[in-house]
Amino acid sequence: SFPTRRSSDLTHLPYVGASAFAHKGGQHVAAMMKWDESYHHIDPSRVGNEWRTLVSELSGKGNIVRKIKERGLELTLDGGDARAILEQVKLLESRGFQYEDAEASFELLIRRAQPGYTAPFELVDFMVVIEKRRRTSTIEKEGDLLSEATVKVKVGGEVMHTAAEGNGPVNALDAAMRKALLVFYPHLEAVRLVDYKVRVIDEAGGTGSYVRVLIESSDGEQEWRTVGSSTNIIEASWLALADSLEYWLIRKDARPV
């Protein structure tokens, strides 16, 4: 055991880590589904692990079917459904999304493709304001920035309009969104952001490049990762944040109070 290391660190350990038993090529996954020793150096259960299926532009329909089973989703897809989801994944990856390390977002993509799926909340709109504060006391430093976000979130037939400040635009957006959702889902208070990463997809595009935001969240018992992508870093952050909260609410089968 490794008590001082996070699960995300253990993923990439050689020979025994989860990534050592991960497969994303369509041909590999198809072979593994027929004979699970096709591409494994050892039985993963011998080191407390299991084989994982990754979904990317290299995937085939088998990856989608296997991933649904791996996530424990009771869904049945025919070939056409799996192909449509695969095409959606490839389209989104061309826009900067990546689901290899954001399986919670991928699960939501699968759920949203099902007829009758209803999200626990819906963003109506948001606005983020950043302004440079003028010094009003000796305590404040010259050049302090104020970040304030205003959001409208719809739950059922009710729209909540809230605002909050933060130590940055993403923090302010997160705070405003939580202020609205906690009215309906008070247990959402348990969810915390553990890690936040930003990556520029196409450096040649300069400030107009797509930006990918990867968020890791936790409720103290489990951890999950979500992704967002946009040419606007705040929108990319919103997509990842919203996925994080929606995933937790769906997994907990939460109902608005």
Side-chain angles (χ1 to χ4, degrees):
S1 62
F2 303 85
T4 61
R5 303 179 69 170
R6 290 172 46 197
S7 59
S8 56
D9 298 326
L10 304 179
T11 298
H12 303 290
L13 285 177
Y15 198 81
V16 299
S19 292
F21 305 99
H23 305 274
K24 67 178 179 180
Q27 183 176 3
H28 279 207
V29 173
M32 292 288 293
M33 291 177 70
K34 295 177 181 177
W35 184 41
D36 60 9
E37 296 182 9
S38 301
Y39 292 98
H40 280 164
H41 50 288
I42 59 171
D43 181 353
S45 64
R46 292 178 59 188
V47 290
N49 228 316
E50 58 185 3
W51 78 277
R52 285 196 307 141
T53 306
L54 303 180
V55 176
S56 74
E57 75 282 358
L58 302 177
S59 300
K61 292 185 296 182
N63 295 58
I64 304 298
V65 175
R66 166 70 189 182
K67 196 63 184 177
I68 289 175
K69 180 180 179 180
E70 194 176 284
R71 300 293 296 177
L73 303 178
E74 297 181 358
L75 303 174
T76 301
L77 299 182
D78 59 27
D81 294 333
R83 188 178 299 107
I85 292 174
L86 184 59
E87 290 303 315
Q88 178 72 358
V89 169
K90 292 181 178 180
L91 174 63
L92 291 172
E93 288 208 347
S94 71
R95 298 174 180 174
F97 288 82
Q98 190 177 66
Y99 295 101
E100 294 179 24
D101 291 323
E103 296 189 343
S105 285
F106 176 74
E107 180 174 323
L108 287 176
L109 188 152
I110 295 291
R111 290 181 180 273
R112 290 165 181 161
Q114 305 306 304
Y117 175 76
T118 301
F121 64 88
E122 176 187 352
L123 174 70
V124 179
D125 58 45
F126 72 82
M127 180 175 66
V128 178
V129 177
I130 304 174
E131 63 179 351
K132 188 173 183 179
R133 288 176 172 172
R134 292 177 296 175
R135 179 181 290 180
T136 58
S137 70
T138 57
I139 299 177
E140 290 182 297
K141 296 180 180 179
E142 187 69 36
D144 281 350
L145 292 176
L146 170 67
S147 297
E148 182 178 6
T150 303
V151 303
K152 291 180 183 178
V153 178
K154 185 177 181 181
V155 179
E158 188 170 353
V159 176
M160 295 293 291
H161 189 182
T162 60
E165 295 182 0
N167 60 8
V170 178
N171 180 239
L173 184 61
D174 184 28
M177 182 168 58
R178 287 173 181 271
K179 184 184 291 187
L181 293 178
L182 284 173
V183 175
F184 301 95
Y185 306 105
H187 296 302
L188 201 58
E189 180 69 30
V191 177
R192 288 286 180 270
L193 187 149
V194 177
D195 198 8
Y196 175 87
K197 297 177 181 177
V198 179
R199 180 180 179 184
V200 177
I201 307 302
D202 178 18
E203 296 180 358
T207 55
S209 300
Y210 272 97
V211 175
R212 180 189 302 138
V213 171
L214 184 67
I215 287 179
E216 184 175 345
S217 305
S218 173
D219 60 2
E221 298 178 356
Q222 297 178 323
E223 295 180 354
W224 60 96
R225 298 180 185 87
T226 52
V227 66
S229 180
S230 172
T231 53
N232 185 311
I233 190 172
I234 297 178
E235 182 183 27
S237 300
W238 158 258
L239 293 172
L241 279 170
D243 272 12
S244 174
L245 301 180
E246 182 176 341
Y247 172 80
W248 188 86
L249 291 171
I250 292 298
R251 275 290 182 171
K252 296 296 182 180
D253 196 23
R255 295 289 186 268
V257 298

